[in-house]
Amino acid sequence: QKEVEQDPGPLSVPEGAIVSLNCTYSNSAFQYFMWYRQYSRKGPELLMYTYSSGNKEDGRFTAQVDKSSKYISLFIRDSQPSDSATYLCATDAGGTSYGKLTFGQGTILTVHP
Amino acid sequence: DTGVSQDPRHKITKRGQNVTFRCDPISEHNRLYWYRQTLGQGPEFLTYFQNEAQLEKSRLLSDRFSAERPKGSFSTLEIQRTEQGDSAMYLCASSLPPWGDTSYEQYFGPGTRLTVT
């Protein structure tokens, strides 16, 4: 079993829809939680970063972390065709493992006009 | 451009050959990371450096793989006696070192896509 599980999709939604992306993790030591966006043949780009449980909002993006259920979510409001990409969740245990990111498989999202 | 750069962007090699990739991090970042990403999967951690010191290596990094960061600036990743299973995207990232709970970002380069025939 992988430490971070993510439904690979693919997920296809119409423009303007609210998108919900989710991951679960098994290692209770994880403290830092990130969402990356990766366009085809490009490197991942950091979208959201959260420390411990809680919500964080940045424009159309909201990240939620529930450490009690080991569940990570990313919501995209008013989705746009330019949001079409692979979305990767990532975690970091911090401490002596600080910076060693563990990624989910990635969810392929397509937003069609 | 002050982002992370990687060279080459694409490498095709025959099985058994040696290959070397280069990564130039963002200049003020003293942490540098290497990841490997295969098709349909998320990146997997390989190794990382703080300045010139290699602090951790994944079990994925067999003895055919070696990474260096001789002067704490750019880094190289060498794969000896390549195998078809080495075909993947090799990603480099850099960041500032951790400081308490201060948010940090790992900035990724565009990757080097390796194809072993």
Side-chain angles (χ1 to χ4, degrees):
Chain A
Q1 183 185 1
K2 294 186 177 182
E3 286 190 293
V4 180
E5 297 279 358
Q6 184 175 6
D7 185 342
L11 186 61
S12 181
V13 302
E15 183 175 355
I18 297 174
V19 176
S20 172
L21 303 168
N22 307 292
C23 290
T24 58
Y25 64 94
S26 57
N27 188 346
S28 58
F30 290 141
Q31 300 183 59
Y32 302 88
F33 305 92
M34 288 138 273
W35 284 95
Y36 282 84
R37 177 175 63 194
Q38 186 174 28
Y39 292 112
S40 181
R41 300 187 178 276
K42 302 285 187 182
E45 170 195 12
L46 182 66
L47 283 177
M48 301 288 285
Y49 172 98
T50 308
Y51 171 63
S52 194
S53 285
N55 294 358
K56 187 171 184 178
E57 187 174 320
D58 184 1
R60 297 184 296 112
F61 299 91
T62 299
Q64 288 185 351
V65 176
D66 182 348
K67 291 189 72 178
S68 63
S69 58
K70 297 186 177 69
Y71 200 78
I72 315 164
S73 300
L74 178 71
F75 299 95
I76 307 174
R77 292 182 298 280
D78 187 25
S79 56
Q80 303 295 310
S82 58
D83 295 329
S84 298
T86 297
Y87 289 80
L88 298 154
C89 61
T91 64
D92 183 351
T96 57
S97 296
Y98 207 116
K100 177 185 168 184
L101 300 184
T102 302
F103 284 86
Q105 183 177 356
T107 299
I108 299 170
L109 171 67
T110 301
V111 181
H112 50 86
Chain B
D1 189 313
T2 57
V4 178
S5 61
Q6 293 187 246
D7 184 68
R9 293 292 306 276
H10 195 181
K11 178 71 176 179
I12 300 173
T13 191
K14 293 186 176 181
R15 188 179 55 180
Q17 297 295 305
N18 299 343
V19 293
T20 300
F21 311 139
R22 176 179 170 126
C23 171
D24 286 88
I26 294 171
S27 58
E28 61 267 30
H29 287 179
N30 62 358
R31 281 217 170 180
L32 186 148
Y33 311 83
W34 286 99
Y35 293 84
R36 180 171 67 188
Q37 185 176 26
T38 54
L39 197 62
Q41 301 296 317
E44 294 176 296
F45 170 82
L46 292 179
T47 188
Y48 82 96
F49 294 83
Q50 179 151 315
N51 300 312
E52 65 275 9
Q54 188 172 17
L55 297 185
E56 187 170 343
K57 293 192 292 185
S58 164
R59 286 170 295 177
L60 294 174
L61 216 63
S62 75
D63 56 7
R64 297 185 298 107
F65 288 71
S66 63
E68 294 183 343
R69 195 182 182 197
K71 296 183 179 179
S73 57
F74 71 91
S75 175
T76 58
L77 178 68
E78 180 183 16
I79 309 174
Q80 296 182 327
R81 306 180 303 280
T82 52
E83 302 172 356
Q84 287 189 319
D86 297 331
S87 295
M89 173 82 89
Y90 290 84
L91 292 162
C92 175
S94 71
S95 77
L96 292 169
W99 183 257
D101 295 336
T102 300
S103 174
Y104 75 102
E105 297 185 10
Q106 285 192 27
Y107 292 87
F108 281 81
T112 294
R113 184 171 298 278
L114 173 66
T115 303
V116 181
T117 61

